[in-house]
Amino acid sequence: MTAAPGVYVRGTARVGGKTVFGPLDLSAPGGEWTCILGPSGVGKTTLLACLAGTADGVVLEGAAGADDGRPLAGRVALMAQSDLLMPWLSALDNVLLGDRLRGDAPRAGRAGCLLGRMGLEGMEGRKPTALSGGQRQRVALARTLIEDRPVVLLDEPFSALDVARRAQMQELAADVLSGRTVVHVTHDPAEAARLGSRTLILTPTGLREITPPAAPLPPRRPDATETLALTGRLTRCLLDAA
Amino acid sequence: MPKTLTTETLPESAPEQSAPLNTVPLRRARRERILSFVMPVVMLCAAIGFWEFQVWYHEIPKYLIPAPSVIAQTLVTDGPSLMASAWFTVKLTFFSLLLAIIGGVILGALFALSRPVELSLFPFAVILQVTPVIAIAPLILIYVDSTFAALLICAWIVAFFPILSNTVIGLRSADHNLRDLFTLYNATPWQRLRYLLVPSALPYFMAALKVAGGLSLIGAVVAEFVAGAAGQNTGLASRIIESSFRSEIPRMFAALVLVSLLGIAIFLLTNWASRKVLGHWHESELQRES
């Protein structure tokens, strides 16, 4: 993997003349984990779509891209709330989807290894319908990882999981995604407080940065004093914005 | 490409049961399975027995209602000629279904890919569908020289529409998040069609196939009834008409039994195909443990 570039979205996004977000200036520094919180319908997912290049029908008056000047296409991976697994493929084949679409030799060994690391050993042959929600999310994470892209966009990936599973997945993700530029959209202040090296709140009027404590470094313990304090501050900001 | 992504069944490791096996539900499941096989068979035999008994008890003459044993006897004695007719109907049904699949899928794909094509051709498809085939059949029989071809066209008209409309819906039903994912992976339009749109359309297509299978038999029989008056063909339907002219009621029943068996065979075949294609991933065909 090459050094992870920082990414930015500047300007205003409109769909059919209606403003979805902006004007704003979001920049996520390279190799860091940026969390974006905000009420529903404020354009968080559209923001990620602008970075991913999948924002069909969205007019961005401004720019989105990487700060190293090269195009982002092909350097972005996305993990969404719905796991986006193909129901007709086994877990292993889902992880190998990118290889197949590129026409590369499928790296079955590497995929199996990643699935094993996600605690899915022996489940490679199962179809998504035979996996639990948490297991499906872990398959999706394995697929995100095998792509080895420097920029990873997360769109509420853990919101469907129970508390313990979510904490586990957060730690796993923080571990395996370290060194990459992560833009993480979430509804959960506690999640942002655990994972973000930067935490931003997106409201209809724009972005607001809440500076996390310098120590401890993410992933912070869910019940550490600093995490709880940051959770409180983020919650207060969200309540004020509503 | 080294290995293709298809919806075919991949070799699957034996499903592991994490929960301890409970024998009571297992036994109940087995009894359920046996019952679901035994009950229909027993009831069917009982109904046939009742029919046989009633005919014998009331001494109903066989030109009114023949006993099942007489029908069975007719099936044997008239076997060769009836089988030839049945074969004709099978061919007719099979080819009309095949043409319906080919036509429906090609046209459906065109509709799904191009809005102008859909807008301009859809009215014709609807007209074909809503006009009763029995009303068009005489015209087709006049214009088309070969009786077989004319019958084929009639049966095709009936079977074609469900495949067309479901293919269109199916090809458009792919999850838009998955479409975005394919964009992220820089998939080519061909890959998008092959690996995303076609598998997403399969459940819709298989549902249409179940409907169209039955309809193609209905179309074949109806068309033969219309053509039967001309007496130029040898399908099962024309055997029924011919027998009715001659008041050979047992033969009518025998032909009817063969038509029913054919319908059942088509039903079982399309159901089996659907289970084979979708059974390992789609909700509609999944076997749930509970």
Side-chain angles (χ1 to χ4, degrees):
Chain A
M1 192 182 69
T2 51
V7 295
Y8 61 85
V9 179
R10 288 185 206 110
T12 307
R14 293 199 171 89
V15 176
K18 214 169 141 274
T19 304
V20 186
F21 65 74
L24 57 74
D25 184 349
L26 164 78
S27 58
E32 286 194 38
W33 193 300
T34 305
C35 283
I36 302 175
L37 284 157
S40 296
V42 82
K44 302 189 295 294
T45 299
T46 312
L47 202 60
L48 291 188
C50 286
L51 283 170
T54 55
D56 294 332
V58 176
V59 181
L60 177 65
E61 289 164 9
D67 60 12
D68 61 1
R70 304 213 331 267
L72 263 178
R75 292 198 285 166
V76 184
L78 172 72
M79 192 178 158
Q81 180 180 3
S82 64
D83 45 64
L84 296 184
L85 298 180
M86 320 278 277
W88 48 85
L89 296 180
S90 68
L92 186 71
D93 285 322
N94 263 298
V95 175
L96 293 172
L97 183 67
D99 282 354
R100 297 269 164 74
L101 289 179
R102 278 188 300 275
D104 295 348
R107 291 166 289 172
R110 170 122 178 84
C113 174
L114 276 170
L115 283 171
R117 194 166 164 198
M118 304 290 149
L120 293 171
E121 220 154 324
M123 301 188 191
E124 293 88 348
R126 288 203 190 174
K127 299 281 192 308
T129 38
L131 297 170
S132 72
Q135 289 169 339
R136 282 203 291 271
Q137 278 296 359
R138 279 182 276 163
V139 175
L141 184 58
R143 184 175 63 185
T144 310
L145 286 175
I146 201 171
E147 288 306 304
D148 209 19
R149 307 230 172 152
V151 178
V152 177
L153 309 176
L154 303 175
D155 190 0
E156 302 177 38
F158 313 128
S159 54
L161 307 178
D162 66 63
V163 173
R165 262 284 169 254
R166 193 184 311 169
Q168 271 175 22
M169 282 296 289
Q170 286 165 349
E171 273 147 40
L172 187 62
D175 176 26
V176 293
L177 294 177
S178 70
R180 286 163 224 252
T181 308
V182 178
V183 182
H184 180 181
V185 160
T186 176
H187 275 300
D188 181 5
E191 182 163 279
R194 286 201 73 191
L195 295 174
S197 55
R198 290 183 73 219
T199 45
L200 301 168
I201 290 185
L202 182 62
T203 61
T205 51
L207 275 171
R208 177 169 169 205
E209 176 152 12
I210 312 290
T211 316
L217 287 170
R220 304 176 185 96
R221 272 197 302 119
D223 51 355
T225 321
E226 295 83 356
T227 315
L228 294 174
L230 181 54
T231 307
R233 276 160 64 207
L234 292 169
T235 309
R236 172 48 53 202
C237 288
L238 284 170
L239 290 174
D240 290 346
Chain B
M1 200 156 293
K3 192 180 167 196
T4 50
L5 294 159
T6 60
T7 60
E8 283 151 32
T9 54
L10 295 165
E12 244 175 324
S13 57
E16 296 130 87
Q17 295 272 351
S18 46
L21 282 177
N22 197 340
T23 53
V24 174
L26 209 67
R27 210 178 305 148
R28 194 180 300 152
R30 195 181 317 138
R31 203 174 58 198
E32 169 80 28
R33 213 166 33 242
I34 293 171
L35 267 183
S36 72
F37 173 74
V38 167
M39 286 309 285
V41 171
V42 166
M43 281 312 292
L44 221 56
C45 290
I48 292 173
F50 179 73
W51 177 356
E52 183 82 41
F53 172 78
Q54 286 293 321
V55 170
W56 169 79
Y57 186 78
H58 297 288
E59 295 176 350
I60 300 171
K62 71 175 183 183
Y63 54 82
L64 283 182
I65 301 174
S69 55
V70 177
I71 297 170
Q73 211 180 347
T74 314
L75 271 173
V76 174
T77 52
D78 288 1
S81 78
L82 277 175
M83 278 335 256
S85 302
W87 179 237
F88 182 88
T89 304
V90 167
K91 270 194 302 189
L92 196 57
T93 306
F94 174 77
F95 281 119
S96 68
L97 184 59
L98 192 71
L99 289 179
I101 292 171
I102 294 171
V105 167
I106 290 177
L107 210 57
L110 280 177
F111 280 20
L113 295 178
S114 157
R115 188 84 182 135
V117 171
E118 184 189 12
L119 287 174
S120 46
L121 291 188
F122 202 70
F124 293 97
V126 172
I127 291 170
L128 269 184
Q129 164 68 12
V130 297
T131 314
V133 72
I134 202 155
I136 325 177
L139 271 179
I140 295 174
L141 281 160
I142 289 171
Y143 291 135
V144 181
D145 276 340
S146 151
T147 313
F148 187 79
L151 297 178
L152 202 57
I153 292 171
C154 295
W156 175 80
I157 288 173
V158 181
F160 154 80
F161 193 77
I163 299 210
L164 169 73
S165 67
N166 270 29
T167 304
V168 175
I169 296 171
L171 285 175
R172 290 202 176 132
S173 71
D175 186 336
H176 82 99
N177 291 312
L178 283 177
R179 288 170 195 255
D180 285 351
L181 185 76
F182 270 62
T183 309
L184 269 181
Y185 280 134
N186 302 322
T188 62
W190 166 247
Q191 287 177 327
R192 195 179 284 264
L193 181 74
R194 169 99 171 69
Y195 298 129
L196 179 60
L197 302 188
V198 168
S200 306
L202 267 180
Y204 294 84
F205 173 79
M206 294 316 292
L209 189 65
K210 287 186 195 173
V211 176
L215 283 180
S216 62
L217 177 64
I218 292 175
V221 169
V222 167
E224 257 187 75
F225 263 98
V226 179
Q232 290 175 12
N233 52 77
T234 57
L236 279 176
S238 43
R239 297 309 297 274
I240 292 178
I241 299 179
E242 177 197 303
S243 309
S244 101
F245 286 158
R246 299 183 188 167
S247 298
E248 286 174 341
I249 309 299
R251 188 124 62 103
M252 284 179 80
F253 270 93
L256 201 57
V257 167
L258 287 179
V259 173
S260 295
L261 286 179
L262 200 54
I264 292 168
I266 291 171
F267 172 81
L268 292 177
L269 210 66
T270 49
N271 264 351
W272 173 82
S274 174
R275 216 169 27 248
K276 272 283 155 217
V277 173
L278 307 177
H280 287 266
W281 63 275
H282 197 254
E283 272 308 323
S284 65
E285 298 283 5
L286 263 176
Q287 305 283 325
R288 290 260 171 236
E289 277 121 62
S290 55

